[in-house]
Amino acid sequence: MKIFDIVQLNFKQLIRDKKNLFFLLLFPAVFMLIFGIGFGDNVESDIDIAIVNHDDGDVSNQLVSIIEDFNSSEDEKLFTVHKIDDETKAQEMLKNGSVSTVLIIPQDFTSDMGKNQSSLGEVTVKGNAIDTDYGIASSVIAGILSEFSKEIIKEVSGQTIPEIDLKYDDLDISSSSLFDIYAPGLIVFAILMTITVVASNVASEEESGMIKRLKLSKMKTIDYVVGNLISWSFVGVIQVIIMLLVAVLVGFKWEGGIYTLVLACVVGIVTTFSSVAVALIIVDFSKNAKQASSISPIVAVPLSFIAGAFIPLPDCVIATINNQQIQIYEILPWNQAITAIRQVLTYGQGLDAIFMNLIIILIMGIILLAISVLLFNRKISRES
Protein backbone atom coordinates (compact mmCIF):
# COMPACT_ATOMS: atom_id res chain seq x y z
CA MET A 1 0.00 0.00 0.00
CA LYS A 2 2.90 2.37 0.77
CA ILE A 3 4.01 2.18 -2.87
CA PHE A 4 0.61 3.36 -4.10
CA ASP A 5 0.60 6.14 -1.52
CA ILE A 6 3.84 7.41 -3.08
CA VAL A 7 2.28 7.16 -6.57
CA GLN A 8 -0.75 9.18 -5.43
CA LEU A 9 1.47 11.77 -3.72
CA ASN A 10 3.60 12.26 -6.86
CA PHE A 11 0.56 12.83 -9.07
CA LYS A 12 -0.93 15.35 -6.65
CA GLN A 13 2.36 17.28 -6.47
CA LEU A 14 2.78 17.26 -10.26
CA ILE A 15 -0.75 18.59 -10.88
CA ARG A 16 -0.33 21.32 -8.27
CA ASP A 17 3.07 22.43 -9.60
CA LYS A 18 2.07 24.11 -12.87
CA LYS A 19 5.63 25.27 -13.67
CA ASN A 20 7.08 21.77 -13.48
CA LEU A 21 4.14 20.40 -15.43
CA PHE A 22 4.77 22.94 -18.21
CA PHE A 23 8.52 22.24 -18.23
CA LEU A 24 7.99 18.48 -18.35
CA LEU A 25 5.25 18.23 -20.99
CA LEU A 26 5.27 21.42 -23.10
CA PHE A 27 8.93 22.50 -23.13
CA PRO A 28 10.08 19.41 -25.14
CA ALA A 29 7.06 19.89 -27.43
CA VAL A 30 8.36 23.36 -28.31
CA PHE A 31 11.64 21.73 -29.39
CA MET A 32 9.64 19.32 -31.55
CA LEU A 33 7.89 22.24 -33.27
CA ILE A 34 11.19 24.03 -33.91
CA PHE A 35 12.84 20.93 -35.38
CA GLY A 36 9.75 20.13 -37.43
CA ILE A 37 9.77 23.57 -39.01
CA GLY A 38 13.55 23.66 -39.47
CA PHE A 39 14.13 20.13 -40.75
CA GLY A 40 10.84 19.25 -42.43
CA ASP A 41 12.52 19.23 -45.83
CA ASN A 42 15.80 17.66 -46.78
CA VAL A 43 18.06 20.43 -48.07
CA GLU A 44 21.79 19.67 -47.81
CA SER A 45 24.82 21.21 -49.46
CA ASP A 46 26.50 17.84 -49.97
CA ILE A 47 25.52 14.18 -49.92
CA ASP A 48 26.78 11.74 -47.30
CA ILE A 49 27.48 8.27 -48.62
CA ALA A 50 29.08 5.20 -47.05
CA ILE A 51 31.40 2.99 -49.06
CA VAL A 52 32.04 -0.60 -47.93
CA ASN A 53 35.07 -1.86 -49.90
CA HIS A 54 35.44 -5.60 -49.28
CA ASP A 55 38.06 -5.81 -52.04
CA ASP A 56 40.66 -3.15 -51.18
CA GLY A 57 42.48 -3.81 -54.45
CA ASP A 58 44.05 -1.27 -56.80
CA VAL A 59 41.00 -0.95 -59.06
CA SER A 60 38.47 -0.66 -56.23
CA ASN A 61 40.62 1.89 -54.40
CA GLN A 62 40.89 3.91 -57.62
CA LEU A 63 37.09 3.85 -57.96
CA VAL A 64 36.64 5.02 -54.38
CA SER A 65 39.08 7.89 -54.96
CA ILE A 66 37.18 9.03 -58.06
CA ILE A 67 33.91 9.08 -56.12
CA GLU A 68 35.54 10.96 -53.23
CA ASP A 69 36.96 13.62 -55.54
CA PHE A 70 33.89 14.06 -57.72
CA ASN A 71 32.97 17.76 -57.80
CA SER A 72 29.46 19.18 -58.07
CA SER A 73 30.97 22.55 -59.00
CA GLU A 74 34.41 24.05 -59.48
CA ASP A 75 35.28 24.18 -55.78
CA GLU A 76 32.81 21.88 -54.00
CA LYS A 77 32.78 18.10 -53.76
CA LEU A 78 29.40 16.48 -54.22
CA PHE A 79 29.97 13.63 -51.76
CA THR A 80 31.10 13.34 -48.18
CA VAL A 81 32.43 9.77 -48.18
CA HIS A 82 32.46 7.59 -45.06
CA LYS A 83 34.67 4.53 -45.52
CA ILE A 84 33.10 1.76 -43.46
CA ASP A 85 34.54 -1.74 -42.93
CA ASP A 86 31.36 -3.29 -41.55
CA GLU A 87 28.35 -3.63 -43.86
CA THR A 88 25.97 -3.88 -40.88
CA LYS A 89 27.29 -0.58 -39.53
CA ALA A 90 26.78 1.04 -42.94
CA GLN A 91 23.22 -0.26 -42.98
CA GLU A 92 22.59 1.29 -39.55
CA MET A 93 24.00 4.62 -40.76
CA LEU A 94 21.61 4.45 -43.70
CA LYS A 95 18.63 3.77 -41.46
CA ASN A 96 19.42 6.46 -38.91
CA GLY A 97 19.98 9.07 -41.60
CA SER A 98 23.75 9.54 -41.17
CA VAL A 99 24.17 8.69 -44.85
CA SER A 100 21.73 8.66 -47.76
CA THR A 101 23.50 6.00 -49.82
CA VAL A 102 25.64 2.91 -49.28
CA LEU A 103 27.95 1.60 -52.02
CA ILE A 104 29.21 -1.97 -51.60
CA ILE A 105 32.22 -3.24 -53.55
CA PRO A 106 32.48 -7.05 -53.34
CA GLN A 107 35.50 -9.13 -52.42
CA ASP A 108 37.88 -10.01 -55.31
CA PHE A 109 36.44 -7.16 -57.40
CA THR A 110 39.95 -6.25 -58.64
CA SER A 111 41.32 -9.76 -59.15
CA ASP A 112 38.20 -11.02 -60.98
CA MET A 113 37.96 -8.01 -63.30
CA GLY A 114 38.01 -9.00 -66.98
CA LYS A 115 37.61 -12.74 -66.28
CA ASN A 116 33.87 -12.67 -66.93
CA GLN A 117 33.06 -11.71 -70.53
CA SER A 118 29.49 -10.72 -69.59
CA SER A 119 30.58 -7.91 -67.25
CA LEU A 120 33.59 -6.30 -65.60
CA GLY A 121 32.05 -6.91 -62.19
CA GLU A 122 29.15 -5.82 -60.03
CA VAL A 123 28.76 -3.29 -57.24
CA THR A 124 25.65 -2.63 -55.14
CA VAL A 125 24.11 0.67 -54.18
CA LYS A 126 21.55 0.91 -51.34
CA GLY A 127 19.23 3.69 -50.28
CA ASN A 128 15.69 4.93 -49.82
CA ALA A 129 14.02 5.08 -53.25
CA ILE A 130 12.13 8.31 -52.46
CA ASP A 131 15.11 10.10 -50.90
CA THR A 132 16.26 12.91 -53.21
CA ASP A 133 19.88 12.60 -52.09
CA TYR A 134 19.87 8.87 -52.83
CA GLY A 135 18.41 9.54 -56.27
CA ILE A 136 21.17 12.05 -57.03
CA ALA A 137 23.92 9.86 -55.56
CA SER A 138 22.89 6.67 -57.37
CA SER A 139 22.57 8.52 -60.70
CA VAL A 140 25.99 10.15 -60.34
CA ILE A 141 27.61 6.86 -59.25
CA ALA A 142 26.06 5.13 -62.29
CA GLY A 143 27.65 7.80 -64.51
CA ILE A 144 31.02 7.46 -62.78
CA LEU A 145 30.92 3.67 -63.19
CA SER A 146 30.14 4.01 -66.88
CA GLU A 147 33.14 6.29 -67.52
CA PHE A 148 35.35 4.25 -65.19
CA SER A 149 34.41 1.04 -67.06
CA LYS A 150 35.43 2.57 -70.37
CA GLU A 151 38.86 3.42 -68.96
CA ILE A 152 39.28 -0.07 -67.50
CA ILE A 153 38.24 -1.71 -70.78
CA LYS A 154 40.75 0.47 -72.62
CA GLU A 155 43.63 -0.10 -70.17
CA VAL A 156 43.08 -3.69 -68.99
CA SER A 157 41.32 -5.73 -71.62
CA GLY A 158 41.21 -3.56 -74.74
CA GLN A 159 38.01 -5.37 -75.64
CA THR A 160 34.45 -4.16 -76.01
CA ILE A 161 32.66 -5.94 -73.17
CA PRO A 162 29.80 -4.81 -70.91
CA GLU A 163 30.57 -2.28 -68.21
CA ILE A 164 30.57 -2.68 -64.43
CA ASP A 165 27.07 -3.64 -63.35
CA LEU A 166 25.33 -1.43 -60.78
CA LYS A 167 22.82 -3.37 -58.70
CA TYR A 168 20.14 -1.29 -56.93
CA ASP A 169 18.97 -2.49 -53.53
CA ASP A 170 16.31 0.04 -52.53
CA LEU A 171 15.23 0.00 -48.90
CA ASP A 172 11.59 -0.14 -47.90
CA ILE A 173 11.74 3.07 -45.85
CA SER A 174 9.10 5.74 -46.22
CA SER A 175 10.93 8.50 -44.33
CA SER A 176 11.83 11.35 -46.66
CA SER A 177 12.95 14.15 -44.36
CA LEU A 178 15.54 14.79 -41.68
CA PHE A 179 12.74 15.49 -39.22
CA ASP A 180 11.56 11.88 -39.52
CA ILE A 181 15.02 10.87 -38.31
CA TYR A 182 15.32 13.48 -35.54
CA ALA A 183 11.80 13.24 -34.05
CA PRO A 184 12.45 10.01 -32.04
CA GLY A 185 15.47 11.69 -30.43
CA LEU A 186 13.27 14.58 -29.32
CA ILE A 187 10.82 12.13 -27.76
CA VAL A 188 13.67 10.66 -25.71
CA PHE A 189 14.81 14.21 -24.87
CA ALA A 190 11.40 14.71 -23.22
CA ILE A 191 11.96 11.55 -21.15
CA LEU A 192 15.41 12.81 -20.16
CA MET A 193 13.83 16.03 -18.90
CA THR A 194 12.08 13.86 -16.30
CA ILE A 195 15.42 13.94 -14.46
CA THR A 196 15.03 17.63 -13.66
CA VAL A 197 11.50 17.38 -12.23
CA VAL A 198 12.07 14.16 -10.27
CA ALA A 199 15.29 15.50 -8.74
CA SER A 200 13.54 18.72 -7.73
CA ASN A 201 10.54 16.91 -6.22
CA VAL A 202 12.54 14.31 -4.29
CA ALA A 203 15.00 16.90 -2.97
CA SER A 204 12.09 19.10 -1.83
CA GLU A 205 10.45 16.14 -0.06
CA GLU A 206 13.73 15.36 1.65
CA GLU A 207 14.28 18.99 2.68
CA SER A 208 10.76 19.32 4.10
CA GLY A 209 11.24 16.21 6.23
CA MET A 210 8.52 14.24 4.41
CA ILE A 211 10.85 11.33 3.62
CA LYS A 212 11.88 11.08 7.28
CA ARG A 213 8.21 10.92 8.28
CA LEU A 214 7.61 8.23 5.68
CA LYS A 215 10.58 6.27 7.04
CA LEU A 216 9.00 6.40 10.50
CA SER A 217 5.96 4.67 9.03
CA LYS A 218 8.22 1.67 8.25
CA MET A 219 8.45 2.54 4.59
CA LYS A 220 11.53 1.02 2.94
CA THR A 221 13.70 2.88 0.43
CA ILE A 222 12.74 0.37 -2.27
CA ASP A 223 9.05 1.17 -1.66
CA TYR A 224 9.74 4.86 -2.20
CA VAL A 225 11.75 4.19 -5.38
CA VAL A 226 9.18 1.78 -6.86
CA GLY A 227 6.41 4.28 -6.11
CA ASN A 228 8.32 6.92 -8.03
CA LEU A 229 8.98 4.51 -10.90
CA ILE A 230 5.30 3.68 -11.30
CA SER A 231 4.11 7.28 -11.22
CA TRP A 232 6.82 8.65 -13.51
CA SER A 233 6.41 5.76 -15.95
CA PHE A 234 2.84 6.94 -16.51
CA VAL A 235 4.24 10.41 -17.18
CA GLY A 236 6.71 8.83 -19.64
CA VAL A 237 3.81 7.34 -21.61
CA ILE A 238 2.06 10.72 -21.69
CA GLN A 239 5.27 12.34 -22.95
CA VAL A 240 5.61 9.83 -25.80
CA ILE A 241 2.01 10.41 -26.89
CA ILE A 242 2.17 14.22 -26.67
CA MET A 243 5.50 14.43 -28.49
CA LEU A 244 4.28 12.07 -31.23
CA LEU A 245 1.11 14.13 -31.74
CA VAL A 246 3.15 17.34 -32.02
CA ALA A 247 5.57 15.62 -34.42
CA VAL A 248 2.73 14.39 -36.65
CA LEU A 249 1.24 17.90 -36.58
CA VAL A 250 4.43 19.34 -38.11
CA GLY A 251 4.94 16.62 -40.70
CA PHE A 252 6.35 13.49 -39.05
CA LYS A 253 5.43 10.35 -41.04
CA TRP A 254 4.31 7.88 -38.38
CA GLU A 255 4.49 4.25 -39.52
CA GLY A 256 2.81 1.16 -38.09
CA GLY A 257 -0.25 2.63 -36.38
CA ILE A 258 -1.33 1.85 -32.82
CA TYR A 259 0.93 -1.21 -32.57
CA THR A 260 4.11 0.84 -32.98
CA LEU A 261 2.74 3.53 -30.64
CA VAL A 262 2.28 0.86 -27.94
CA LEU A 263 5.86 -0.34 -28.52
CA ALA A 264 7.12 3.25 -28.30
CA CYS A 265 5.26 3.67 -24.99
CA VAL A 266 6.89 0.49 -23.65
CA VAL A 267 10.27 1.93 -24.61
CA GLY A 268 9.28 5.16 -22.86
CA ILE A 269 8.37 3.28 -19.67
CA VAL A 270 11.62 1.31 -19.37
CA THR A 271 13.69 4.36 -20.32
CA THR A 272 11.99 6.39 -17.58
CA PHE A 273 13.47 3.95 -15.05
CA SER A 274 16.96 5.18 -15.94
CA SER A 275 15.91 8.84 -15.79
CA VAL A 276 14.40 8.37 -12.32
CA ALA A 277 17.55 6.56 -11.19
CA VAL A 278 19.78 9.41 -12.39
CA ALA A 279 17.51 11.92 -10.62
CA LEU A 280 17.88 10.02 -7.33
CA ILE A 281 21.67 9.89 -7.76
CA ILE A 282 21.67 13.68 -8.28
CA VAL A 283 19.69 14.12 -5.05
CA ASP A 284 22.20 11.90 -3.26
CA PHE A 285 25.00 14.31 -4.17
CA SER A 286 23.00 17.50 -3.55
CA LYS A 287 22.94 19.36 -0.26
CA ASN A 288 19.47 20.83 -0.77
CA ALA A 289 16.58 21.16 -3.22
CA LYS A 290 17.99 24.31 -4.84
CA GLN A 291 21.26 22.56 -5.61
CA ALA A 292 19.46 19.51 -7.03
CA SER A 293 17.37 21.77 -9.28
CA SER A 294 20.54 23.48 -10.54
CA ILE A 295 22.54 20.30 -11.13
CA SER A 296 19.84 18.24 -12.87
CA PRO A 297 19.66 20.31 -16.14
CA ILE A 298 23.46 20.31 -16.28
CA VAL A 299 23.26 16.51 -16.34
CA ALA A 300 20.13 16.02 -18.46
CA VAL A 301 20.90 18.35 -21.37
CA PRO A 302 24.45 17.04 -22.09
CA LEU A 303 23.10 13.49 -21.80
CA SER A 304 20.62 14.40 -24.54
CA PHE A 305 23.45 15.36 -26.89
CA ILE A 306 25.65 12.40 -25.93
CA ALA A 307 22.73 10.01 -26.49
CA GLY A 308 22.21 11.44 -29.99
CA ALA A 309 18.87 13.18 -29.44
CA PHE A 310 19.77 16.19 -31.60
CA ILE A 311 22.67 15.36 -33.92
CA PRO A 312 24.24 12.24 -35.51
CA LEU A 313 27.10 10.92 -33.41
CA PRO A 314 30.63 10.20 -34.70
CA ASP A 315 32.23 6.77 -34.55
CA CYS A 316 33.66 5.96 -31.13
CA VAL A 317 34.17 2.19 -31.16
CA ILE A 318 34.97 0.45 -27.87
CA ALA A 319 34.57 -3.18 -28.99
CA THR A 320 33.68 -5.44 -31.89
CA ILE A 321 31.42 -8.43 -31.26
CA ASN A 322 30.54 -10.83 -34.10
CA ASN A 323 31.82 -8.22 -36.59
CA GLN A 324 29.44 -5.67 -35.04
CA GLN A 325 31.09 -2.48 -33.84
CA ILE A 326 29.94 -1.28 -30.41
CA GLN A 327 29.99 2.50 -29.95
CA ILE A 328 30.68 3.91 -26.49
CA TYR A 329 27.41 5.88 -26.42
CA GLU A 330 25.40 2.72 -27.14
CA ILE A 331 25.77 1.71 -23.49
CA LEU A 332 23.49 4.63 -22.62
CA PRO A 333 19.85 3.51 -22.25
CA TRP A 334 18.66 6.75 -23.87
CA ASN A 335 20.70 6.08 -27.03
CA GLN A 336 19.15 2.62 -27.25
CA ALA A 337 15.73 4.21 -26.72
CA ILE A 338 16.27 6.61 -29.64
CA THR A 339 17.21 3.69 -31.90
CA ALA A 340 14.21 1.65 -30.73
CA ILE A 341 11.64 4.45 -31.12
CA ARG A 342 13.07 5.31 -34.56
CA GLN A 343 12.71 1.67 -35.61
CA VAL A 344 9.05 1.45 -34.60
CA LEU A 345 7.67 4.93 -35.34
CA THR A 346 9.80 5.98 -38.33
CA TYR A 347 10.33 2.60 -40.00
CA GLY A 348 7.24 0.73 -38.74
CA GLN A 349 9.23 -2.22 -37.36
CA GLY A 350 7.89 -4.66 -34.76
CA LEU A 351 9.02 -6.03 -31.40
CA ASP A 352 11.63 -8.33 -32.94
CA ALA A 353 13.51 -5.30 -34.32
CA ILE A 354 13.84 -3.61 -30.90
CA PHE A 355 14.01 -6.59 -28.56
CA MET A 356 17.74 -6.29 -27.90
CA ASN A 357 17.41 -2.52 -27.45
CA LEU A 358 14.77 -3.11 -24.76
CA ILE A 359 16.98 -5.67 -23.02
CA ILE A 360 19.93 -3.25 -22.93
CA ILE A 361 17.72 -0.39 -21.70
CA LEU A 362 16.32 -2.62 -18.96
CA ILE A 363 19.73 -3.92 -17.86
CA MET A 364 21.22 -0.42 -17.70
CA GLY A 365 18.13 0.84 -15.89
CA ILE A 366 18.41 -1.90 -13.27
CA ILE A 367 22.10 -1.11 -12.74
CA LEU A 368 21.40 2.62 -12.33
CA LEU A 369 18.45 1.92 -10.01
CA ALA A 370 20.56 -0.40 -7.84
CA ILE A 371 23.19 2.34 -7.49
CA SER A 372 20.56 5.00 -6.76
CA VAL A 373 18.81 2.87 -4.10
CA LEU A 374 22.12 2.12 -2.40
CA LEU A 375 23.19 5.77 -2.33
CA PHE A 376 19.73 7.10 -1.42
CA ASN A 377 19.31 4.61 1.44
CA ARG A 378 22.76 5.55 2.76
CA LYS A 379 21.95 9.25 2.66
CA ILE A 380 18.59 8.83 4.42
CA SER A 381 20.22 6.63 7.08
CA ARG A 382 22.88 9.30 7.74
CA GLU A 383 20.25 12.01 8.14
CA SER A 384 17.95 9.99 10.38
Side-chain angles (χ1 to χ4, degrees):
M1 289 298 294
K2 293 183 179 64
I3 291 175
F4 293 104
D5 291 337
I6 297 298
V7 172
Q8 188 177 15
L9 175 65
N10 280 330
F11 276 120
K12 285 181 178 178
Q13 288 182 337
L14 183 61
I15 293 171
R16 283 199 299 262
D17 192 342
K18 299 297 190 297
K19 288 184 180 179
N20 270 345
L21 191 61
F22 170 82
F23 186 78
L24 187 64
L25 299 180
L26 297 184
F27 179 66
V30 172
F31 267 69
M32 185 70 80
L33 281 169
I34 293 170
F35 270 72
I37 294 169
F39 294 101
D41 297 316
N42 258 345
V43 180
E44 297 187 9
S45 58
D46 58 0
I47 299 174
D48 285 274
I49 68 172
I51 297 181
V52 183
N53 187 0
H54 293 301
D55 175 61
D56 201 28
D58 292 339
V59 177
S60 61
N61 286 334
Q62 186 182 353
L63 175 59
V64 172
S65 296
I66 291 172
I67 294 172
E68 280 185 300
D69 296 335
F70 187 85
N71 290 342
S72 58
S73 64
E74 187 175 343
D75 300 320
E76 294 184 4
K77 292 182 180 179
L78 176 62
F79 300 122
T80 297
V81 174
H82 304 265
K83 296 179 182 177
I84 308 297
D85 295 327
D86 182 16
E87 199 169 318
T88 304
K89 172 64 178 177
Q91 185 88 349
E92 283 300 312
M93 293 176 69
L94 184 61
K95 286 193 172 185
N96 67 29
S98 299
V99 299
S100 68
T101 308
V102 172
L103 178 69
I104 301 171
I105 302 175
Q107 194 173 8
D108 300 325
F109 178 79
T110 298
S111 60
D112 290 346
M113 182 158 285
K115 293 181 180 179
N116 185 352
Q117 291 300 303
S118 64
S119 126
L120 278 177
E122 181 182 83
V123 298
T124 302
V125 64
K126 292 187 176 184
N128 179 5
I130 65 172
D131 187 340
T132 304
D133 282 351
Y134 169 61
I136 296 171
S138 57
S139 297
V140 171
I141 289 172
I144 291 174
L145 285 175
S146 178
E147 293 301 315
F148 185 70
S149 297
K150 293 173 184 177
E151 292 298 319
I152 294 297
I153 292 169
K154 189 186 301 179
E155 295 176 11
V156 179
S157 67
Q159 302 175 14
T160 304
I161 59 175
E163 302 172 354
I164 298 171
D165 286 337
L166 181 60
K167 177 184 176 184
Y168 296 90
D169 187 4
D170 297 340
L171 298 182
D172 183 19
I173 298 175
S174 63
S175 173
S176 59
S177 74
L178 284 175
F179 182 57
D180 295 322
I181 303 299
Y182 286 135
L186 294 171
I187 293 174
V188 175
F189 167 65
I191 296 172
L192 266 162
M193 286 299 98
T194 302
I195 293 174
T196 61
V197 181
V198 176
S200 176
N201 283 1
V202 173
S204 296
E205 289 172 357
E206 181 191 13
E207 199 169 51
S208 68
M210 182 181 295
I211 294 179
K212 286 183 181 179
R213 293 194 294 273
L214 290 172
K215 291 286 286 184
L216 291 174
S217 68
K218 306 299 181 183
M219 181 199 73
K220 298 178 181 178
T221 302
I222 191 67
D223 295 331
Y224 182 77
V225 172
V226 171
N228 273 281
L229 286 179
I230 293 174
S231 53
W232 291 108
S233 293
F234 278 111
V235 175
V237 171
I238 294 170
Q239 287 174 313
V240 170
I241 295 172
I242 289 176
M243 293 295 283
L244 177 59
L245 290 175
V246 175
V248 171
L249 182 66
V250 290
F252 177 71
K253 298 176 183 64
W254 169 22
E255 295 294 322
I258 298 299
Y259 173 58
T260 56
L261 174 58
V262 171
L263 289 178
C265 288
V266 171
V267 174
I269 289 171
V270 294
T271 307
T272 301
F273 294 174
S274 297
S275 295
V276 171
V278 170
L280 292 174
I281 292 171
I282 290 171
V283 173
D284 295 333
F285 288 97
S286 302
K287 294 180 180 179
N288 50 52
K290 185 177 180 180
Q291 193 174 92
S293 298
S294 300
I295 293 173
S296 52
I298 297 174
V299 174
V301 174
L303 272 176
S304 302
F305 282 93
I306 296 171
F310 303 123
I311 55 175
L313 298 170
D315 282 343
C316 193
V317 180
I318 56 172
T320 302
I321 302 174
N322 293 329
N323 294 322
Q324 177 66 44
Q325 292 181 332
I326 308 300
Q327 308 289 339
I328 188 168
Y329 42 77
E330 288 178 342
I331 65 175
L332 294 174
W334 305 280
N335 177 268
Q336 294 292 332
I338 292 170
T339 301
I341 292 178
R342 183 178 291 127
Q343 288 293 325
V344 296
L345 294 183
T346 303
Y347 304 137
Q349 299 295 308
L351 179 61
D352 56 333
I354 65 168
F355 184 75
M356 283 308 300
N357 301 108
L358 283 171
I359 294 298
I360 295 172
I361 295 168
L362 198 55
I363 290 172
M364 294 306 299
I366 291 171
I367 292 172
L368 288 171
L369 282 169
I371 295 171
S372 67
V373 169
L374 178 65
L375 293 174
F376 195 70
N377 191 49
R378 186 177 300 176
K379 182 175 185 179
I380 297 301
S381 298
R382 284 200 309 265
E383 294 176 354
S384 299

